[in-house]
Amino acid sequence: MLEIFVLALYFVSILVLSVFGSHGFVLVYYYFKNKKEEAEGRKRKLSPKTLEELFGDEKNYPNVTIQLPIYNELYVVSRLLDAVSRIEYPKEKLQIQVLDDSTDETVQVVALKVMELKRKGFDIEHIRRGTREGFKAGALKYGLKFAKGDFIAIFDADFVPKSDFLKKTLPYFYLDGNIGMVQTRWEHLNDNYSLLTQAQALALNGHFIMEQYVRNESGFFITFNGTGGIWRKSCIEDAGGWETDTLAEDMDLSYRAQLKKWKFIFLKDVVSPAELPAEINALKSQQFRWTKGAIEVGLKYLKEIWRENLPLKLKLEATFQLTNNFVFPFILLTALLNPMVVVIKESGDYNWYYFIMGAFVLPFFGPFLVYTLAQREIYSNWKDKIILFPLFLAGSMGLAVNNTRAVILALLRKKTEFVRTPKYGIESEEEKWETKKYVASRVEWVTYVEILLALYMFAGMMVSVYYLELAAIPFQVMFFAGFSFIGILSIKHSKVWNEYVVKLYLIWNIIRGKFIYKSSNVR
């Protein structure tokens, strides 16, 4: 009976992963469909007039507010403000809000920079709430009360907006009065810094090209990515403003706005450069927030989406978008059950079961195609980029513990703090972050679970070798690599690592000293 239960549970977990993996083929289908329509001229490319053509004199340009929500951003806030000050737009039409909830030296850095920009004629405000209530959403909501602009552009601290950002985005709002938000594609300042940043770049490129762009071109819902985009102020207000009950305030407002029939535009060829997390603990906090936030938004809006008079395909695509993080608990479950399934195969006649399971291999090519096409769209050397797909896949498996925790807490409706992603101003390979502030000072319990799972998967590999179950070994190797990579880096990328190294060095010197002492006594 236990064997049947394990096999059934494993079947369910693989089935769920296959369904979500198969969704990659849906995105690929729409990708080629859109390409074909573009080639045949059946899909009209949006070509707005320039600001000069729309308004003539600069005094007729619309008022714009740029909001910069920050919290303890010592290493990047000056870079952000310098970039914003270079945006090409009439100063009398531009308002800059630095929404600063910081509790460290960032406050002084911002104050000095704001004074400098004021002297240069910028309408810039250093806004301090004195509280972090509502976190980023709370800061944006508070700043909106004092926003003078008809349009609201938002940049996180790790971004370096290009000088032509407003010139390239604002005109799209004048194609249609119902366009409520324009999102640009994220570009990466430090994608070649390490294997970790390269894997992140691969993942984000897949999101922007094969999720945002394809969904937008196909008439599905897309989301504001929290930064690197610009809103029509009336759209934010009509949708109910920023709400603070989820960790994904960007996705939350996006769904409310689109359910109210506002239209969004994603600009694939307009980029906003940003810094990728250079260390694993920063990435894990980011992934936790994104995962939990998306599940919270799904719990909040899925019923409403299915009640609305919307096309079935739009409802289905929105459902996949809001539930795709459920893959992480099933990745974890698959990892736990896989070695057991190998043992069960040797103890009974279950050949029929393994024959059926073989059919579930095909859906896993869906994600591979998604990320391959995304890299091909962006890079001329895309073949060099997609080589990293196994590393990305192993890393996704390794993040299963961290992200499963996020899913469970979201389902339990447990509120958690908005943990910001630390940034260190890292752009070149020569720059270091190890000695800077914001590096994790302790190792979370999740990390030790990851290391235990790595050992468990290694034992599973040995069992598979013993039974000559060669088909199981590639998956076990991926799980082992993923849990090891994430677990060990989580310790290495923390201040605890240096403490471990010092202690080991001291122990080694004590042992070495005793050995030398004994050797000298023998002589």
Side-chain angles (χ1 to χ4, degrees):
M1 183 60 70
L2 180 60
E3 291 181 354
I4 297 298
F5 175 75
V6 170
L7 292 176
L9 201 56
Y10 190 71
F11 177 83
V12 170
S13 65
I14 293 295
L15 178 62
V16 171
L17 294 177
S18 297
V19 170
F20 281 102
S22 297
H23 179 252
F25 294 120
V26 176
L27 293 175
V28 170
Y29 165 76
Y30 279 105
Y31 173 82
F32 283 114
K33 182 174 183 284
N34 290 324
K35 288 290 182 184
K36 183 178 180 182
E37 289 177 356
E38 286 175 6
E40 294 174 351
R42 288 187 287 138
K43 184 179 284 291
R44 185 172 62 88
K45 188 174 182 179
L46 297 176
S47 300
K49 295 180 179 179
T50 64
L51 289 175
E52 291 81 0
E53 291 171 332
L54 285 166
F55 301 105
D57 198 302
E58 286 188 348
K59 67 181 180 182
N60 298 321
Y61 282 18
N63 292 317
V64 175
T65 297
I66 298 178
Q67 291 188 319
L68 310 173
I70 64 170
Y71 174 70
N72 294 353
E73 306 289 3
L74 181 61
Y75 301 109
V76 294
V77 70
S78 293
R79 181 180 69 183
L80 169 67
L81 288 168
D82 284 337
V84 169
S85 70
R86 291 193 292 268
I87 290 179
E88 299 162 356
Y89 207 72
K91 288 180 181 177
E92 64 274 13
K93 293 289 183 177
L94 185 66
Q95 176 194 27
I96 303 169
Q97 292 183 333
V98 187
L99 306 173
D100 183 10
D101 289 346
S102 299
T103 58
D104 68 358
E105 307 95 305
T106 304
V107 179
Q108 288 74 42
V109 173
V110 172
L112 290 172
K113 201 70 185 177
V114 167
M115 287 175 60
E116 176 189 325
L117 293 178
K118 277 186 175 180
R119 286 195 295 268
K120 293 180 179 179
F122 287 93
D123 179 5
I124 182 169
E125 301 170 76
H126 185 191
I127 298 175
R128 300 271 298 155
R129 295 188 295 157
T131 174
R132 277 197 83 202
E133 183 180 356
F135 306 111
K136 180 181 175 181
L140 293 170
K141 185 176 182 178
Y142 184 79
L144 197 65
K145 297 176 184 178
F146 315 105
K148 304 172 186 176
D150 301 309
F151 299 94
I152 312 293
I154 300 171
F155 294 101
D156 283 347
D158 49 335
F159 273 68
V160 185
K162 294 201 169 186
S163 59
D164 58 358
F165 175 83
L166 292 177
K167 287 186 175 182
K168 286 189 173 180
T169 56
L170 275 175
Y172 284 90
F173 287 100
Y174 294 91
L175 291 171
D176 186 337
N178 270 346
I179 293 172
M181 192 279 297
V182 175
Q183 175 68 52
T184 62
R185 175 168 63 84
W186 295 2
E187 194 176 53
H188 318 298
L189 292 170
N190 60 333
D191 51 336
N192 291 320
Y193 182 74
S194 66
L195 287 175
L196 182 64
T197 57
Q198 289 180 58
Q200 289 176 71
L202 184 146
L204 286 170
N205 292 338
H207 165 70
F208 281 104
I209 298 299
M210 295 301 292
E211 292 184 10
Q212 290 286 69
Y213 176 66
V214 169
R215 282 174 177 152
N216 193 216
E217 290 293 305
S218 306
F220 298 124
F221 285 168
I222 65 167
T223 61
F224 171 54
N225 288 107
T227 175
I230 181 167
W231 288 81
R232 192 188 296 269
K233 185 180 179 182
S234 58
C235 171
I236 297 176
E237 294 171 335
D238 180 59
W242 298 102
E243 294 186 358
T244 61
D245 56 347
T246 76
L247 288 181
E249 77 293 325
D250 45 8
M251 182 179 280
D252 184 350
L253 182 57
S254 296
Y255 267 88
R256 272 186 283 123
Q258 288 169 109
L259 286 169
K260 279 184 165 284
K261 311 305 180 186
W262 287 94
K263 299 176 184 177
F264 286 7
I265 289 178
F266 174 73
L267 301 178
K268 178 190 66 172
D269 298 321
V270 180
V271 297
S272 293
E275 178 184 332
L276 293 164
E279 48 98 356
I280 194 67
N281 293 301
L283 176 63
K284 287 169 81 171
S285 66
Q286 183 188 72
Q287 288 293 312
F288 178 91
R289 193 175 69 246
W290 289 356
T291 300
K292 185 171 185 282
I295 297 295
E296 289 173 333
V297 173
L299 292 171
K300 191 173 176 180
Y301 295 114
L302 272 176
K303 285 184 181 179
E304 183 178 350
I305 289 168
W306 281 93
R307 283 197 300 262
E308 287 288 320
N309 183 24
L310 299 168
L312 178 60
K313 67 177 185 178
L314 194 152
K315 292 180 180 180
L316 288 170
E317 185 60 31
T319 301
F320 269 99
Q321 184 179 23
L322 292 173
T323 62
N324 62 12
N325 286 316
F326 278 113
V327 298
F328 291 107
F330 288 98
I331 288 173
L332 188 56
L333 185 60
T334 301
L336 290 169
L337 294 177
N338 187 275
M340 300 181 198
V341 170
V342 171
V343 174
I344 290 172
K345 184 179 180 182
E346 299 304 315
S347 64
D349 184 16
Y350 294 107
N351 289 332
W352 57 272
Y353 175 86
Y354 294 97
F355 178 78
I356 294 172
M357 294 300 290
F360 290 112
V361 174
L362 185 61
F364 291 95
F365 285 98
F368 176 74
L369 289 174
V370 164
Y371 291 104
T372 298
L373 291 171
Q375 309 320 304
R376 193 180 71 168
E377 188 80 26
I378 297 173
Y379 302 111
S380 57
N381 63 332
W382 62 273
K383 292 180 181 178
D384 296 334
K385 302 291 182 180
I386 201 60
I387 289 173
L388 289 170
F389 182 76
L391 175 64
F392 159 72
L393 191 59
S396 299
M397 292 173 170
L399 285 167
V401 182
N402 181 73
N403 293 359
T404 295
R405 177 171 168 260
V407 172
I408 292 171
L409 290 175
L411 292 175
L412 293 174
R413 314 263 181 175
K414 185 167 182 176
K415 297 301 174 185
T416 52
E417 183 181 1
F418 185 105
V419 180
R420 67 181 252 295
T421 306
K423 302 108 184 174
Y424 304 104
I426 299 293
E427 293 186 28
S428 69
E429 295 178 39
E430 293 76 29
E431 293 177 279
K432 303 297 179 184
W433 53 265
E434 287 84 352
T435 58
K436 295 187 177 183
K437 287 183 64 172
Y438 312 140
V439 176
S441 59
R442 62 191 180 91
V443 177
E444 297 287 340
W445 63 266
V446 167
T447 297
Y448 298 111
V449 175
E450 290 159 354
I451 292 172
L452 285 173
L453 283 170
L455 295 173
Y456 175 72
M457 294 315 302
F458 182 79
M461 289 161 53
M462 296 301 99
V463 170
S464 296
V465 170
Y466 178 79
Y467 287 123
L468 295 179
E469 290 296 337
L470 303 183
I473 292 177
F475 291 100
Q476 292 171 343
V477 168
M478 293 288 285
F479 278 122
F480 170 71
F483 290 129
S484 300
F485 180 72
I486 300 297
I488 293 171
L489 274 190
S490 297
I491 297 175
K492 189 176 179 181
H493 289 182
S494 71
K495 292 178 181 178
V496 174
W497 175 257
N498 289 332
E499 295 173 10
Y500 285 169
V501 171
V502 169
K503 287 176 182 177
L504 287 172
Y505 181 74
L506 289 172
I507 292 170
W508 165 246
N509 276 309
I510 290 169
I511 295 171
R512 183 168 169 268
K514 285 183 177 180
F515 176 76
I516 293 171
Y517 177 74
K518 286 181 180 180
S519 298
S520 62
N521 282 344
V522 169
R523 289 196 298 270

